[in-house]
Amino acid sequence: MAETIAVVSFVSSILQLVDFGTKVVKQLHEFLHCVDEIPGSLRDITLELPLLIEVLQQIKHHADHGYYRPQVESMLRPIINACSVEIASLEVILRSEERRVGKECME
């Protein structure tokens, strides 16, 4: 029973991160349309974040179907948590830039 709850919690964390990451990708693309020069780091994130989301969706699929041992899930959980923190940081940066560039451009 505890293992089932752990799997559901793990899958839920991935699902939330995929949803949040997808929203941030959309914000990032909207921001990039508003600027003349794209910083290299944002260009890299624009390419890497959708790939991360795809990998997370595959991990979720495998977790849903019981392909991972509990040890694997416990190794992946800190990585997923760290990704969540980084994506949240990116969202904060984008919101700050949105105010700087002008909200009307981002809508």
Side-chain angles (χ1 to χ4, degrees), residues 1 3 6 18 20 22 53 62 66 69 73 75 77 80 83 95 99:
M1 181 66 160
E3 190 174 301
V18 166
F20 185 52
T22 301
I53 291 168
H62 286 118
R69 297 184 317 256
E73 290 177 20
M75 289 184 288
R77 189 174 297 276
I80 289 168
C83 289
R95 284 186 182 180
R99 285 189 292 273

Side-chain angles (χ1 to χ4, degrees), residues 56-76:
L56 287 168
Q57 288 173 328
Q58 289 178 15
I59 290 171
K60 180 193 168 296
H61 173 78
H62 286 118
D64 280 342
H65 291 87
Y67 297 150
Y68 291 130
R69 297 184 317 256
Q71 299 87 347
V72 174
E73 290 177 20
S74 66
M75 289 184 288
L76 287 171

Side-chain angles (χ1 to χ4, degrees), residues 3-22:
E3 190 174 301
T4 302
I5 293 171
V7 170
V8 170
S9 171
F10 178 68
V11 169
S12 176
S13 296
I14 293 172
L15 192 57
Q16 288 174 335
L17 182 55
V18 166
D19 191 44
F20 185 52
T22 301

